[in-house]
Amino acid sequence: MDAIFNPVGDAPNVWHPADAREAYLLKRRLGRQAVYVAGGTLLRTEWEAGSRSVSPHWIDLQRAAGMGEVFMQTGGLCIGSQVTLGTCRKHPTLTSLYPLVGKAIRCTAAPSVRNVATLGGNVCSGVGDVLPSLLLYDAELVWQNEQGREAPLPLREWLELRAAGALDPDRILLAIRLPERADESGIRQASGGDDALPSLLRIEVYHKVGRREAFSPSLVTTAVSAEIDAAGCFRQVKIAAGGGKAMPARLGALEAWLVGSKADLSRLPDVYERVMEEYQPAGDIFAGESYRRKTAASLIAADLWQLLQQTASEGGGRYAEPIQQRNALEGPSGRPG
Ligand SMILES: Cc1cc2nc3c(=O)[nH]c(=O)nc-3n(C[C@H](O)[C@H](O)[C@H](O)COP(=O)(O)OP(=O)(O)OC[C@H]3O[C@@H](n4cnc5c(N)ncnc54)[C@H](O)[C@@H]3O)c2cc1C
């Protein structure tokens, strides 16, 4: 173990391991006395609020090799866990192929915080505002354990295992992988890419509702993408919700119910009711569980309504507007219950 050790009076001991394996072994040795620190922005908030005690040993991940790049690889885009939210937000491939990730990051904290905070830290918190957008794109997580790099684990599964307390707490998140999109040619068309084909009718929207219009912790976040095909039926429907301390989740039952069904306005009351049934967020002192569910249900139904409006304005035709990205901070009026 040759990690650099900086003892400074009573201050925490800060360790700078050379790579993820060394960091993992260090954490194993120091146990609960140590904490991994990436940007430290969430940890600092928790320490200041007294919701977590300050650990005597900090294991700095930002200088560890191999976790700070964004690159294309076979099957998708790989984002190192130590890449800052600020870098992600400006990354052209990331924001063009996975626009809702860029959108969610834009709604997270202020630029000065985003320049330090990492995507890995947002994921590892289990409640970060970027998570619903990553869930929407079927993100996978790559972890380091004692043996080395593990096989990618779907984010969806990791969230469930985490909630069940069934994970090795010392594992290090190495990277977030965004799989190649099956509908990528559709995105290119919708974005006015090379093809001479007209734009595909689709919607891709992220919302964050907070206690204030901006620079506010979230109460509810939603991410929705959907298309209407030539037969006037929903396809490629993906819906995720989260916000506050609620575990973000994909609404798989609602997605399955919508895919292949006729896209018309009469479905929307059922969409609302199904979100109310399927989404189970926990309430807190800022917003009750019922407020969160109703807000998520209203946002999701409104997004699909917008898609149906496009169809109507195109006379029911298949091809219509480019990708729609409404103001991410738009939300329903109403007070937290
Ligand atoms: C003013 C302010 C506003 C904020 N606003 C928002 C907001 O709007 N939305 C939002 O989601 N968050 C917000 N945050 C919280 C925070 O900035 C983000 O969640 C950020 O992405 C966390 O990243 P970080 O690198 O700072 O994580 P850190 O604070 O370093 O770590 C967070 C947690 O993840 C663990 N961890 C980090 N990296 C790894 C890894 N690679 N492997 C294993 N464990 C790891 C740490 O041990 C810690 O438990 C805000 C914070 C501040 C200070």
Side-chain angles (χ1 to χ4, degrees):
M1 178 69 55
D2 53 0
I4 302 164
F5 173 53
N6 291 334
V8 188
D10 286 337
N13 301 314
V14 182
W15 298 80
H16 302 291
D19 56 30
R21 183 156 194 279
E22 195 176 319
Y24 180 89
L25 294 175
L26 193 55
K27 177 80 172 70
R28 268 287 153 100
R29 183 155 67 82
L30 297 169
R32 300 180 69 167
Q33 296 286 301
V35 66
Y36 294 128
V37 181
T41 59
L42 180 62
L43 284 168
R44 194 197 68 184
T45 310
E46 292 175 341
W47 290 330
E48 285 173 1
S51 56
R52 182 197 272 252
S53 53
V54 180
S55 309
H57 295 277
W58 297 2
I59 302 174
D60 169 28
L61 295 180
Q62 289 212 299
R63 288 200 226 167
M67 297 187 278
E69 304 291 326
V70 183
F71 56 92
M72 287 302 289
Q73 59 177 195
T74 314
L77 185 72
C78 188
I79 308 161
S81 66
Q82 298 309 293
V83 177
T84 65
L85 296 179
T87 299
C88 290
R89 175 160 144 53
K90 291 186 208 122
H91 197 278
T93 311
L94 173 53
T95 51
S96 64
L97 286 181
Y98 308 95
L100 295 194
V101 176
K103 198 86 177 174
I105 289 173
R106 214 184 80 196
C107 300
T108 298
S112 55
V113 175
R114 295 199 295 257
N115 286 339
V116 182
T118 63
L119 185 59
N122 201 272
V123 169
C124 289
S125 71
V127 291
D129 286 343
V130 187
L131 283 165
S133 67
L134 295 172
L135 275 172
L136 197 90
Y137 296 124
D138 300 307
E140 297 174 328
L141 306 181
V142 182
W143 296 89
Q144 165 86 35
N145 67 18
E146 194 160 0
Q147 278 72 47
R149 177 179 284 251
E150 296 176 7
L153 178 70
L155 169 61
R156 209 169 166 171
E157 259 178 62
W158 175 75
L159 284 165
E160 283 161 14
L161 290 168
R162 183 179 185 275
L167 291 170
D168 167 6
D170 296 335
R171 288 194 314 176
I172 295 176
L173 178 62
L174 297 175
I176 298 99
R177 278 168 39 117
L178 290 167
E180 204 172 289
R181 293 184 62 174
D183 54 352
E184 194 181 322
S185 60
I187 302 170
R188 291 198 195 291
Q189 288 170 32
S191 313
D194 317 324
D195 293 311
L197 290 171
S199 300
L200 188 66
L201 180 59
R202 57 184 292 131
I203 194 165
E204 210 159 333
V205 194
Y206 173 87
H207 297 284
K208 170 173 167 176
V209 176
R211 280 179 279 146
R212 287 192 303 269
E213 184 69 9
F215 304 125
S216 169
S218 62
L219 296 175
V220 177
T221 50
T222 57
V224 173
S225 69
E227 294 176 4
I228 295 180
D229 66 16
C233 295
F234 285 115
R235 65 171 212 172
Q236 300 275 5
V237 181
K238 296 184 176 186
I239 300 173
K245 295 285 174 209
M247 182 181 102
R250 276 278 287 272
L251 304 187
L254 174 59
E255 291 174 3
W257 180 74
L258 280 169
V259 169
S261 70
K262 204 74 188 160
D264 61 52
L265 287 172
S266 66
R267 302 230 137 226
L268 295 185
D270 284 338
V271 167
Y272 183 93
E273 289 307 325
R274 282 169 185 267
V275 177
M276 292 291 286
E277 269 170 39
E278 189 174 354
Y279 184 48
Q280 304 287 337
D284 62 23
I285 52 165
F286 300 114
E289 179 255 0
S290 157
Y291 172 82
R292 289 173 197 271
R293 279 196 296 149
K294 285 180 187 165
T295 304
S298 303
L299 291 170
I300 291 164
D303 289 339
L304 295 177
W305 175 82
Q306 193 192 24
L307 180 59
L308 292 170
Q309 290 307 299
Q310 286 180 26
T311 324
S313 67
E314 290 296 314
R318 172 171 180 179
Y319 299 114
E321 296 294 310
I323 292 178
Q324 291 294 304
Q325 291 177 22
R326 291 192 356 214
N327 178 356
L329 292 173
E330 275 177 5
S333 57
R335 289 157 53 106

